[in-house]
């Protein structure tokens, strides 16, 4: 019984850390990254605000859909699939540019 509680607790902690790593940092970093994003993309404040609004609306829609999907197929499968998808996308994203270790 103790092993089952420990396993459930570790899965819960892993899920929280995954959410923080994938959405929390990205959403909080937007304001800090905005000046360099504006310069690189050559956008004004209105366009940057529109971009932030679209990102927030996308987050809202996806969060709702994932909640419904989690009820149908299970939270564990959603967390594992999301973690896998984020990992694959980060590896694929790293390949762009001359230096694969360059942080843009």
């Amino acid at each position: 019984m103790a092993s089952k509680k420990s396993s459930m607790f570790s899965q819960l902690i892993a899920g929280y850390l995954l959410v923080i790593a994938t959405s929390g940092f990205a959403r909080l970093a937007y304001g800090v990254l905005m000046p360099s994003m504006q310069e690189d993309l050559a956008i004004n404040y209105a366009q940057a605000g529109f971009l932030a609004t679209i990102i927030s609306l996308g987050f809202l829609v996806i969060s709702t859909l994932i909640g419904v999907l989690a009820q149908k197929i299970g939270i564990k499968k959603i967390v594992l699939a999301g973690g896998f998808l984020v990992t694959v996308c980060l590896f694929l994203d790293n390949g762009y540019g001359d230096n694969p270790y360059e942080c843009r």
Side-chain angles (χ1 to χ4, degrees):
M1 183 75 171
S3 176
K4 188 173 183 176
K5 283 186 179 183
S6 174
S7 175
M8 186 174 77
F9 182 71
S10 63
Q11 288 178 1
L12 183 66
I13 294 298
Y16 280 135
L17 291 175
L18 188 62
V19 168
I20 290 169
T22 57
S23 64
F25 291 144
R27 291 177 53 79
L28 294 175
Y30 186 78
V32 175
L33 297 173
M34 180 48 61
S36 62
M37 286 175 58
Q38 281 181 288
E39 184 180 323
D40 289 345
L41 299 173
I43 58 176
N44 60 30
Y45 285 110
Q47 293 167 324
F50 180 72
L51 180 62
T53 302
I54 295 300
I55 290 171
S56 295
L57 288 174
F59 183 77
L60 177 68
V61 170
I62 293 299
S63 297
T64 304
L65 292 176
I66 292 299
V68 171
L69 193 59
Q71 286 181 339
K72 291 187 180 203
I73 67 171
I75 295 172
K76 185 176 180 179
K77 289 180 183 177
I78 292 293
V79 170
L80 290 174
F84 177 76
L85 185 62
V86 166
T87 303
V88 168
C89 289
L90 287 174
F91 276 115
L92 291 175
D93 184 47
N94 192 30
Y96 293 102
D98 297 333
N99 181 359
Y101 301 104
E102 177 183 23
C103 189
R104 299 195 228 191

